[in-house]
Amino acid sequence: MFEIVLVTYNHPELIEYILGEYQNYFASLDFVLSVHDSSENDDTKAIVQSNKYYGTKLRYYRYDSSVCVDKKTLLALKNSTGDYVMLAGDGWVVRIDNMLHLIEGLDRQYEIVTVYNLAIDEYAHFYNKYVRADCGEDDICKYLRQNYWYLALYGGSVVRRELIGRIDVDEMVQKYNGKGFIYPSTLAEYAHGPLYTAGIVSMNPNIYKKAAGWFLNHQAMRTWTKSFYESVYLISDGVLGEGDKQFIVSTANRHTGFLTFSNLLRWKTHDNFDYSLYREYKFYFNKMRACNRLQLFVALIIPKALLKLIRRAKRAIFNNGEEQ
């Protein structure tokens, strides 16, 4: 059985949209969706429990709103019952038909299946350039060097029940809590193999999702420098050596597109990058940046007001073009 484990917090409108998109899937495909909710009210609960598939193909789990997202993530995995489990966020609508076709076609019982979403240009580019074709892998270190950055995406992988059963939640929370990357690091700690990498159209964006929480909460710099760096370097040395960890942290932001010149300008426009943030996270930033020194200098000195003016002008031109 294939199960989607969907973690959410205070986003009933996102869950309502996802359930609406899943109605045809519920009617025709064999899978389970479990919603793991730590909202501060019962709006999400009411939406889930009013669905006609609730109790059969749709399940609901409630967590105290004070439970940290890292611990909730692992508890949600442990509460799942599927043979193959896909941890997903509420910003995506999973293409369940394509996922089932992929899983049913596997020739081995892979512990982790990394699924590059070919509907997103950046992910399709990485898959076509570095992966090139669906393939199995028994070398965990090699697998993580290529895929760790993408495993951070909720919805970017499927995990077998056997791996989930080995996870010690308290140990992982003690080690990785508060960094935002407990999921890929936990997979790294407990994976035995074999492993698999595939590329399909696996998810479509939720049209009501504005942006990632770390972006809206102005935590982009902390998340994708210090937190990511520490999460990788905390992985047991028996899993990844020093050189492997250095490779992962130094290449991740090229693949994500974060810490590139264009993205730093975007972050600055939305109060996620400036000189004070750069100075605070300078040690990590300089080990992980995906721009050259000149681009960094320009990104630091260009006024935020000018960037916002340019952004408004682009929007006006685009909207005017649409009207014509």
Short mmCIF file of all heavy atoms in Angstrom, two decimals, residues 230-283:
data_model
loop_
_atom_site.label_atom_id
_atom_site.label_comp_id
_atom_site.label_asym_id
_atom_site.label_seq_id
_atom_site.Cartn_x
_atom_site.Cartn_y
_atom_site.Cartn_z
N GLU A 230 25.06 22.59 9.36
CA GLU A 230 25.15 21.82 10.60
C GLU A 230 24.45 20.48 10.48
O GLU A 230 24.91 19.47 11.03
CB GLU A 230 24.58 22.63 11.76
CG GLU A 230 25.45 23.82 12.14
CD GLU A 230 24.88 24.62 13.29
OE1 GLU A 230 23.69 24.42 13.62
OE2 GLU A 230 25.62 25.44 13.87
N SER A 231 23.33 20.43 9.76
CA SER A 231 22.62 19.17 9.59
C SER A 231 23.46 18.15 8.84
O SER A 231 23.45 16.96 9.17
CB SER A 231 21.30 19.42 8.83
OG SER A 231 20.42 20.21 9.59
N VAL A 232 24.18 18.60 7.84
CA VAL A 232 25.04 17.69 7.09
C VAL A 232 26.22 17.23 7.94
O VAL A 232 26.54 16.04 7.99
CB VAL A 232 25.55 18.36 5.79
CG1 VAL A 232 26.59 17.47 5.10
CG2 VAL A 232 24.38 18.62 4.84
N TYR A 233 26.84 18.16 8.65
CA TYR A 233 28.04 17.81 9.42
C TYR A 233 27.72 17.01 10.68
O TYR A 233 28.62 16.38 11.25
CB TYR A 233 28.85 19.06 9.75
CG TYR A 233 29.84 19.38 8.65
CD1 TYR A 233 29.49 20.14 7.55
CD2 TYR A 233 31.15 18.87 8.70
CE1 TYR A 233 30.38 20.41 6.53
CE2 TYR A 233 32.05 19.13 7.68
CZ TYR A 233 31.66 19.89 6.60
OH TYR A 233 32.56 20.13 5.58
N LEU A 234 26.46 16.98 11.08
CA LEU A 234 26.07 16.15 12.23
C LEU A 234 25.85 14.68 11.84
O LEU A 234 25.80 13.81 12.70
CB LEU A 234 24.79 16.69 12.86
CG LEU A 234 24.95 17.88 13.81
CD1 LEU A 234 23.59 18.43 14.20
CD2 LEU A 234 25.75 17.50 15.05
N ILE A 235 25.71 14.41 10.54
CA ILE A 235 25.50 13.02 10.10
C ILE A 235 26.72 12.19 10.51
O ILE A 235 27.86 12.63 10.38
CB ILE A 235 25.29 12.97 8.57
CG1 ILE A 235 23.99 13.69 8.20
CG2 ILE A 235 25.24 11.52 8.08
CD1 ILE A 235 23.79 13.86 6.71
N SER A 236 26.47 11.02 11.00
CA SER A 236 27.53 10.16 11.53
C SER A 236 28.67 9.98 10.52
O SER A 236 28.42 9.80 9.32
CB SER A 236 26.96 8.79 11.90
OG SER A 236 25.96 8.92 12.88
N ASP A 237 29.90 10.02 11.01
CA ASP A 237 31.08 9.91 10.15
C ASP A 237 31.13 8.56 9.44
O ASP A 237 31.73 8.44 8.37
CB ASP A 237 32.36 10.11 10.96
CG ASP A 237 32.49 11.54 11.48
OD1 ASP A 237 31.84 12.44 10.90
OD2 ASP A 237 33.23 11.76 12.46
N GLY A 238 30.50 7.57 10.02
CA GLY A 238 30.47 6.27 9.37
C GLY A 238 29.59 6.24 8.14
O GLY A 238 29.69 5.33 7.32
N VAL A 239 28.74 7.26 8.00
CA VAL A 239 27.87 7.37 6.82
C VAL A 239 28.51 8.26 5.77
O VAL A 239 28.59 7.91 4.59
CB VAL A 239 26.48 7.94 7.22
CG1 VAL A 239 25.61 8.13 5.98
CG2 VAL A 239 25.80 7.02 8.22
N LEU A 240 28.98 9.44 6.20
CA LEU A 240 29.61 10.39 5.30
C LEU A 240 30.94 10.83 5.87
O LEU A 240 31.03 11.22 7.04
CB LEU A 240 28.72 11.62 5.09
CG LEU A 240 27.42 11.46 4.30
CD1 LEU A 240 26.61 12.74 4.35
CD2 LEU A 240 27.71 11.08 2.85
N GLY A 241 31.97 10.83 5.04
CA GLY A 241 33.27 11.34 5.45
C GLY A 241 33.34 12.84 5.32
O GLY A 241 32.42 13.49 4.79
N GLU A 242 34.42 13.42 5.79
CA GLU A 242 34.61 14.87 5.75
C GLU A 242 34.49 15.41 4.33
O GLU A 242 33.83 16.42 4.08
CB GLU A 242 35.97 15.24 6.34
CG GLU A 242 36.35 16.71 6.24
CD GLU A 242 35.55 17.60 7.16
OE1 GLU A 242 35.01 17.08 8.16
OE2 GLU A 242 35.47 18.82 6.89
N GLY A 243 35.13 14.74 3.39
CA GLY A 243 35.08 15.19 2.00
C GLY A 243 33.68 15.13 1.41
O GLY A 243 33.29 16.00 0.61
N ASP A 244 32.93 14.12 1.79
CA ASP A 244 31.56 13.98 1.30
C ASP A 244 30.67 15.10 1.84
O ASP A 244 29.87 15.68 1.10
CB ASP A 244 30.98 12.63 1.72
CG ASP A 244 31.81 11.46 1.23
OD1 ASP A 244 32.15 11.44 0.04
OD2 ASP A 244 32.14 10.58 2.05
N LYS A 245 30.83 15.41 3.11
CA LYS A 245 30.04 16.48 3.71
C LYS A 245 30.39 17.82 3.08
O LYS A 245 29.51 18.64 2.80
CB LYS A 245 30.28 16.51 5.22
CG LYS A 245 29.77 15.26 5.94
CD LYS A 245 30.14 15.25 7.41
CE LYS A 245 29.67 13.96 8.09
NZ LYS A 245 30.01 13.90 9.52
N GLN A 246 31.67 18.03 2.85
CA GLN A 246 32.10 19.28 2.22
C GLN A 246 31.51 19.40 0.82
O GLN A 246 31.07 20.48 0.41
CB GLN A 246 33.62 19.33 2.15
CG GLN A 246 34.17 20.63 1.56
CD GLN A 246 35.69 20.65 1.55
OE1 GLN A 246 36.34 19.76 2.05
NE2 GLN A 246 36.24 21.70 0.97
N PHE A 247 31.48 18.30 0.09
CA PHE A 247 30.92 18.31 -1.26
C PHE A 247 29.44 18.66 -1.23
O PHE A 247 28.96 19.48 -2.02
CB PHE A 247 31.11 16.93 -1.92
CG PHE A 247 30.48 16.82 -3.27
CD1 PHE A 247 31.15 17.27 -4.40
CD2 PHE A 247 29.21 16.27 -3.43
CE1 PHE A 247 30.56 17.18 -5.66
CE2 PHE A 247 28.62 16.17 -4.67
CZ PHE A 247 29.30 16.63 -5.80
N ILE A 248 28.70 18.06 -0.30
CA ILE A 248 27.26 18.29 -0.23
C ILE A 248 26.94 19.75 0.08
O ILE A 248 26.11 20.39 -0.57
CB ILE A 248 26.61 17.36 0.80
CG1 ILE A 248 26.65 15.91 0.31
CG2 ILE A 248 25.15 17.78 1.08
CD1 ILE A 248 26.23 14.89 1.35
N VAL A 249 27.63 20.32 1.09
CA VAL A 249 27.31 21.70 1.48
C VAL A 249 27.78 22.71 0.43
O VAL A 249 27.18 23.77 0.27
CB VAL A 249 27.88 22.06 2.87
CG1 VAL A 249 27.32 21.14 3.95
CG2 VAL A 249 29.41 22.00 2.88
N SER A 250 28.84 22.39 -0.29
CA SER A 250 29.38 23.34 -1.26
C SER A 250 28.62 23.33 -2.58
O SER A 250 28.70 24.29 -3.35
CB SER A 250 30.86 23.05 -1.53
OG SER A 250 31.03 21.79 -2.15
N THR A 251 27.85 22.28 -2.85
CA THR A 251 27.12 22.19 -4.12
C THR A 251 25.61 22.38 -3.96
O THR A 251 24.92 22.65 -4.95
CB THR A 251 27.36 20.82 -4.79
OG1 THR A 251 26.95 19.77 -3.89
CG2 THR A 251 28.83 20.64 -5.14
N ALA A 252 25.09 22.27 -2.76
CA ALA A 252 23.63 22.26 -2.56
C ALA A 252 22.96 23.50 -3.12
O ALA A 252 21.92 23.41 -3.79
CB ALA A 252 23.32 22.11 -1.08
N ASN A 253 23.52 24.68 -2.86
CA ASN A 253 22.84 25.91 -3.26
C ASN A 253 22.97 26.21 -4.75
O ASN A 253 22.26 27.06 -5.27
CB ASN A 253 23.35 27.08 -2.41
CG ASN A 253 22.74 27.05 -1.03
OD1 ASN A 253 21.53 27.17 -0.87
ND2 ASN A 253 23.58 26.86 -0.02
N ARG A 254 23.86 25.52 -5.43
CA ARG A 254 23.85 25.58 -6.89
C ARG A 254 22.63 24.84 -7.43
O ARG A 254 22.00 25.25 -8.39
CB ARG A 254 25.12 24.96 -7.47
CG ARG A 254 26.25 25.96 -7.68
CD ARG A 254 27.40 25.30 -8.40
NE ARG A 254 28.35 24.71 -7.47
CZ ARG A 254 29.09 23.65 -7.74
NH1 ARG A 254 28.97 23.03 -8.89
NH2 ARG A 254 29.96 23.20 -6.86
N HIS A 255 22.33 23.70 -6.78
CA HIS A 255 21.22 22.88 -7.25
C HIS A 255 19.87 23.48 -6.85
O HIS A 255 18.91 23.44 -7.64
CB HIS A 255 21.35 21.47 -6.69
CG HIS A 255 22.64 20.79 -7.03
ND1 HIS A 255 23.26 20.97 -8.25
CD2 HIS A 255 23.44 19.95 -6.32
CE1 HIS A 255 24.39 20.25 -8.28
NE2 HIS A 255 24.52 19.64 -7.12
N THR A 256 19.77 24.02 -5.65
CA THR A 256 18.52 24.63 -5.21
C THR A 256 18.26 25.97 -5.90
O THR A 256 17.12 26.40 -6.02
CB THR A 256 18.52 24.88 -3.69
OG1 THR A 256 19.56 25.80 -3.37
CG2 THR A 256 18.71 23.57 -2.92
N GLY A 257 19.32 26.63 -6.32
CA GLY A 257 19.20 27.98 -6.86
C GLY A 257 19.30 29.04 -5.79
O GLY A 257 19.32 30.24 -6.09
N PHE A 258 19.39 28.64 -4.53
CA PHE A 258 19.56 29.59 -3.43
C PHE A 258 21.02 30.04 -3.38
O PHE A 258 21.93 29.33 -3.83
CB PHE A 258 19.17 28.95 -2.10
CG PHE A 258 17.78 28.37 -2.09
CD1 PHE A 258 17.48 27.24 -1.35
CD2 PHE A 258 16.76 28.97 -2.81
CE1 PHE A 258 16.20 26.71 -1.34
CE2 PHE A 258 15.47 28.44 -2.81
CZ PHE A 258 15.19 27.31 -2.07
N LEU A 259 21.25 31.21 -2.83
CA LEU A 259 22.57 31.82 -2.73
C LEU A 259 23.20 32.07 -4.09
O LEU A 259 24.42 32.23 -4.21
CB LEU A 259 23.52 30.97 -1.86
CG LEU A 259 23.03 30.64 -0.45
CD1 LEU A 259 24.19 30.08 0.39
CD2 LEU A 259 22.39 31.81 0.26
N THR A 260 22.37 32.08 -5.14
CA THR A 260 22.80 32.57 -6.44
C THR A 260 22.54 34.08 -6.47
O THR A 260 21.79 34.61 -5.64
CB THR A 260 22.03 31.91 -7.58
OG1 THR A 260 20.63 32.19 -7.41
CG2 THR A 260 22.25 30.39 -7.58
N PHE A 261 23.14 34.76 -7.41
CA PHE A 261 22.99 36.21 -7.49
C PHE A 261 21.52 36.62 -7.64
O PHE A 261 21.02 37.47 -6.89
CB PHE A 261 23.81 36.75 -8.66
CG PHE A 261 23.64 38.22 -8.90
CD1 PHE A 261 24.04 39.15 -7.94
CD2 PHE A 261 23.08 38.70 -10.08
CE1 PHE A 261 23.89 40.51 -8.15
CE2 PHE A 261 22.93 40.05 -10.30
CZ PHE A 261 23.33 40.97 -9.33
N SER A 262 20.82 36.00 -8.58
CA SER A 262 19.43 36.39 -8.83
C SER A 262 18.55 36.10 -7.62
O SER A 262 17.65 36.88 -7.29
CB SER A 262 18.88 35.67 -10.06
OG SER A 262 18.94 34.26 -9.89
N ASN A 263 18.82 35.01 -6.94
CA ASN A 263 17.98 34.68 -5.79
C ASN A 263 18.29 35.56 -4.60
O ASN A 263 17.40 35.88 -3.81
CB ASN A 263 18.15 33.21 -5.41
CG ASN A 263 16.93 32.69 -4.67
OD1 ASN A 263 15.84 32.65 -5.21
ND2 ASN A 263 17.12 32.33 -3.41
N LEU A 264 19.55 35.97 -4.44
CA LEU A 264 19.88 36.89 -3.36
C LEU A 264 19.15 38.22 -3.54
O LEU A 264 18.70 38.83 -2.56
CB LEU A 264 21.39 37.12 -3.30
CG LEU A 264 22.24 35.95 -2.81
CD1 LEU A 264 23.73 36.32 -2.87
CD2 LEU A 264 21.86 35.53 -1.39
N LEU A 265 19.01 38.65 -4.79
CA LEU A 265 18.25 39.88 -5.05
C LEU A 265 16.78 39.69 -4.67
O LEU A 265 16.16 40.59 -4.09
CB LEU A 265 18.37 40.27 -6.52
CG LEU A 265 19.78 40.62 -7.03
CD1 LEU A 265 19.71 41.05 -8.48
CD2 LEU A 265 20.43 41.70 -6.17
N ARG A 266 16.25 38.53 -4.99
CA ARG A 266 14.86 38.24 -4.61
C ARG A 266 14.73 38.19 -3.10
O ARG A 266 13.78 38.75 -2.53
CB ARG A 266 14.43 36.91 -5.23
CG ARG A 266 13.05 36.43 -4.79
CD ARG A 266 12.63 35.20 -5.58
NE ARG A 266 11.43 34.59 -5.04
CZ ARG A 266 11.40 33.59 -4.18
NH1 ARG A 266 12.55 33.02 -3.77
NH2 ARG A 266 10.27 33.09 -3.74
N TRP A 267 15.67 37.53 -2.45
CA TRP A 267 15.63 37.45 -0.99
C TRP A 267 15.72 38.84 -0.37
O TRP A 267 15.03 39.14 0.60
CB TRP A 267 16.79 36.59 -0.49
CG TRP A 267 16.54 35.12 -0.59
CD1 TRP A 267 15.50 34.49 -1.21
CD2 TRP A 267 17.35 34.08 -0.03
NE1 TRP A 267 15.61 33.14 -1.08
CE2 TRP A 267 16.73 32.85 -0.36
CE3 TRP A 267 18.54 34.07 0.70
CZ2 TRP A 267 17.27 31.62 0.03
CZ3 TRP A 267 19.07 32.85 1.09
CH2 TRP A 267 18.45 31.64 0.76
N LYS A 268 16.54 39.69 -0.95
CA LYS A 268 16.70 41.05 -0.39
C LYS A 268 15.40 41.83 -0.51
O LYS A 268 15.02 42.56 0.42
CB LYS A 268 17.83 41.78 -1.11
CG LYS A 268 18.25 43.07 -0.42
CD LYS A 268 19.56 43.61 -0.98
CE LYS A 268 20.09 44.74 -0.12
NZ LYS A 268 21.43 45.21 -0.57
N THR A 269 14.72 41.66 -1.63
CA THR A 269 13.44 42.35 -1.83
C THR A 269 12.43 41.96 -0.75
O THR A 269 11.59 42.77 -0.35
CB THR A 269 12.88 42.01 -3.22
OG1 THR A 269 13.85 42.33 -4.21
CG2 THR A 269 11.60 42.78 -3.50
N HIS A 270 12.52 40.72 -0.27
CA HIS A 270 11.56 40.21 0.71
C HIS A 270 12.17 40.09 2.11
O HIS A 270 11.74 39.27 2.91
CB HIS A 270 11.04 38.85 0.25
CG HIS A 270 10.22 38.92 -1.00
ND1 HIS A 270 8.88 39.22 -1.00
CD2 HIS A 270 10.57 38.75 -2.31
CE1 HIS A 270 8.43 39.22 -2.24
NE2 HIS A 270 9.42 38.93 -3.05
N ASP A 271 13.18 40.89 2.39
CA ASP A 271 13.78 41.00 3.73
C ASP A 271 14.41 39.69 4.21
O ASP A 271 14.39 39.38 5.41
CB ASP A 271 12.73 41.47 4.75
CG ASP A 271 12.15 42.83 4.39
OD1 ASP A 271 12.93 43.71 3.98
OD2 ASP A 271 10.92 43.01 4.49
N ASN A 272 14.97 38.93 3.29
CA ASN A 272 15.67 37.70 3.64
C ASN A 272 17.17 37.78 3.42
O ASN A 272 17.88 36.79 3.64
CB ASN A 272 15.09 36.52 2.84
CG ASN A 272 13.89 35.89 3.52
OD1 ASN A 272 13.99 35.30 4.58
ND2 ASN A 272 12.72 36.05 2.90
N PHE A 273 17.67 38.95 2.99
CA PHE A 273 19.10 39.10 2.77
C PHE A 273 19.47 40.58 2.87
O PHE A 273 18.82 41.45 2.28
CB PHE A 273 19.50 38.57 1.39
CG PHE A 273 20.96 38.74 1.07
CD1 PHE A 273 21.91 37.95 1.69
CD2 PHE A 273 21.38 39.69 0.15
CE1 PHE A 273 23.26 38.10 1.41
CE2 PHE A 273 22.73 39.84 -0.14
CZ PHE A 273 23.67 39.05 0.50
N ASP A 274 20.50 40.85 3.64
CA ASP A 274 21.11 42.18 3.71
C ASP A 274 22.48 42.01 4.35
O ASP A 274 22.91 40.89 4.65
CB ASP A 274 20.24 43.18 4.48
CG ASP A 274 19.91 42.71 5.89
OD1 ASP A 274 20.67 41.88 6.46
OD2 ASP A 274 18.88 43.17 6.45
N TYR A 275 23.15 43.12 4.59
CA TYR A 275 24.52 43.03 5.09
C TYR A 275 24.57 42.43 6.50
O TYR A 275 25.46 41.64 6.83
CB TYR A 275 25.20 44.39 5.10
CG TYR A 275 26.63 44.32 5.62
CD1 TYR A 275 27.63 43.72 4.86
CD2 TYR A 275 26.95 44.79 6.89
CE1 TYR A 275 28.93 43.61 5.33
CE2 TYR A 275 28.25 44.69 7.37
CZ TYR A 275 29.23 44.10 6.58
OH TYR A 275 30.52 43.99 7.07
N SER A 276 23.61 42.78 7.35
CA SER A 276 23.63 42.25 8.71
C SER A 276 23.44 40.74 8.72
O SER A 276 24.07 40.02 9.51
CB SER A 276 22.56 42.94 9.56
OG SER A 276 21.27 42.64 9.08
N LEU A 277 22.56 40.22 7.86
CA LEU A 277 22.37 38.78 7.76
C LEU A 277 23.60 38.10 7.19
O LEU A 277 24.00 37.03 7.64
CB LEU A 277 21.14 38.46 6.89
CG LEU A 277 19.79 38.72 7.54
CD1 LEU A 277 18.67 38.63 6.51
CD2 LEU A 277 19.54 37.72 8.67
N TYR A 278 24.20 38.74 6.18
CA TYR A 278 25.43 38.18 5.61
C TYR A 278 26.53 38.10 6.67
O TYR A 278 27.21 37.09 6.80
CB TYR A 278 25.90 39.03 4.44
CG TYR A 278 27.30 38.68 3.99
CD1 TYR A 278 27.56 37.47 3.34
CD2 TYR A 278 28.37 39.55 4.24
CE1 TYR A 278 28.85 37.14 2.94
CE2 TYR A 278 29.66 39.22 3.84
CZ TYR A 278 29.89 38.01 3.21
OH TYR A 278 31.17 37.67 2.83
N ARG A 279 26.66 39.17 7.45
CA ARG A 279 27.70 39.19 8.49
C ARG A 279 27.43 38.11 9.55
O ARG A 279 28.36 37.44 10.01
CB ARG A 279 27.73 40.57 9.14
CG ARG A 279 28.85 40.74 10.17
CD ARG A 279 28.89 42.18 10.67
NE ARG A 279 27.61 42.56 11.24
CZ ARG A 279 27.33 43.80 11.64
NH1 ARG A 279 28.23 44.76 11.51
NH2 ARG A 279 26.15 44.08 12.16
N GLU A 280 26.16 37.91 9.89
CA GLU A 280 25.81 36.92 10.91
C GLU A 280 26.13 35.49 10.46
O GLU A 280 26.58 34.67 11.26
CB GLU A 280 24.32 37.02 11.26
CG GLU A 280 23.88 36.06 12.35
CD GLU A 280 22.43 36.26 12.74
OE1 GLU A 280 21.77 37.16 12.19
OE2 GLU A 280 21.94 35.50 13.62
N TYR A 281 25.90 35.21 9.17
CA TYR A 281 26.08 33.85 8.67
C TYR A 281 27.24 33.74 7.67
O TYR A 281 27.29 32.81 6.87
CB TYR A 281 24.78 33.37 8.01
CG TYR A 281 23.62 33.33 8.97
CD1 TYR A 281 22.60 34.27 8.91
CD2 TYR A 281 23.57 32.37 9.98
CE1 TYR A 281 21.54 34.24 9.80
CE2 TYR A 281 22.52 32.33 10.88
CZ TYR A 281 21.51 33.27 10.79
OH TYR A 281 20.47 33.23 11.70
N LYS A 282 28.17 34.68 7.77
CA LYS A 282 29.27 34.78 6.80
C LYS A 282 30.06 33.49 6.69
O LYS A 282 30.41 33.04 5.59
CB LYS A 282 30.18 35.94 7.20
CG LYS A 282 31.36 36.15 6.25
CD LYS A 282 32.18 37.35 6.69
CE LYS A 282 33.37 37.57 5.76
NZ LYS A 282 34.18 38.75 6.19
N PHE A 283 30.40 32.86 7.82
CA PHE A 283 31.21 31.64 7.80
C PHE A 283 30.57 30.57 6.93
O PHE A 283 31.21 29.96 6.07
CB PHE A 283 31.40 31.11 9.23
CG PHE A 283 32.01 29.73 9.28
CD1 PHE A 283 33.39 29.56 9.18
CD2 PHE A 283 31.21 28.60 9.43
CE1 PHE A 283 33.96 28.29 9.22
CE2 PHE A 283 31.77 27.33 9.48
CZ PHE A 283 33.14 27.17 9.37
#
